Amino acid sequence: MFHFEPIEIIGFIAAILTTSAFIPQVYRAWKTKNVEAISLTMFIAMFIGVILWLVYGIYINSLSMVIANTITSLLSLVIIVLKIRHRND
Amino acid sequence: MFHFEPIEIIGFIAAILTTSAFIPQVYRAWKTKNVEAISLTMFIAMFIGVILWLVYGIYINSLSMVIANTITSLLSLVIIVLKIRHRND
């Protein structure tokens, strides 16, 4: 299914950077449960968008896009769950 | 250069969602100049990652990736400039 092309190296570096750039925010939200400044609508829009990029990546056989958007969708989901659970804190 | 394929519709919707999810944060930073909670390292990592996704999108002829990552890279750049300018406020 996924054939390896040199451009995937660029994709993997991009995936590592854009995904890891997102982790501190998720970690902080997880640790502090302080999700007040986080907009639920923004994260739901982002989550749907990332899922669509995942579908796009699968369709065009881009392993780096599939990996990046799988991880980012899970991270967005963590934030959405935290936001819903701790909304009234 | 860019041939239109049905999957690009998915790409465009994803582009609109993930890009627009980012705008409120940029708008708030621009309006309030309050960039304290924003991590410069995170945004530089994100900026480089998004530029690489832009290169990736150009290489694989993905118009939706090129548009999404062009806009997101400009938005990240706005945040980086604001963060550098207002770091000592």
Side-chain angles (χ1 to χ4, degrees):
Chain A
M1 181 168 162
F2 293 108
H3 46 273
F4 187 78
E5 289 194 34
I7 189 66
E8 283 304 315
I9 297 168
I10 300 281
F12 282 122
I13 300 169
I16 291 163
L17 285 168
T18 48
T19 309
S20 55
F22 192 44
I23 289 172
Q25 184 174 10
V26 180
Y27 180 73
R28 207 170 30 225
W30 178 269
K31 270 281 157 197
T32 63
K33 305 297 187 243
N34 176 352
V35 286
E36 214 187 308
I38 290 175
S39 146
L40 185 60
T41 348
M42 191 197 101
F43 265 90
I44 291 174
M46 174 121 159
F47 179 68
I48 298 167
V50 168
I51 294 291
L52 289 178
W53 279 127
L54 176 56
V55 168
Y56 186 89
I58 292 168
Y59 186 89
I60 65 167
N61 282 327
S62 162
L63 187 56
S64 51
M65 279 187 83
V66 168
I67 292 172
N69 290 292
T70 302
I71 296 170
T72 308
S73 56
L74 294 173
L75 291 173
S76 320
L77 205 54
V78 167
I79 295 243
I80 290 168
V81 167
L82 283 173
K83 178 72 181 178
I84 291 169
R85 261 210 225 144
H86 297 280
R87 197 161 28 179
N88 307 320
D89 285 14
Chain B
M1 179 166 168
F2 293 108
H3 45 271
F4 187 79
E5 289 193 36
I7 189 66
E8 283 306 312
I9 297 167
I10 300 281
F12 283 122
I13 300 168
I16 291 164
L17 285 168
T18 49
T19 309
S20 54
F22 193 43
I23 289 173
Q25 183 174 10
V26 180
Y27 180 73
R28 207 169 33 224
W30 179 271
K31 270 279 158 194
T32 64
K33 306 295 187 244
N34 175 353
V35 286
E36 216 187 307
I38 289 175
S39 148
L40 186 59
T41 346
M42 190 197 103
F43 265 89
I44 290 173
M46 173 120 161
F47 178 68
I48 299 167
V50 167
I51 293 289
L52 290 179
W53 280 126
L54 176 57
V55 168
Y56 186 89
I58 292 168
Y59 186 89
I60 65 166
N61 283 326
S62 161
L63 187 55
S64 50
M65 279 187 85
V66 169
I67 291 172
N69 290 292
T70 302
I71 296 170
T72 308
S73 57
L74 294 173
L75 291 173
S76 319
L77 205 53
V78 166
I79 294 237
I80 290 168
V81 167
L82 284 172
K83 179 71 182 179
I84 291 169
R85 261 210 223 143
H86 297 281
R87 199 162 24 181
N88 306 320
D89 288 13

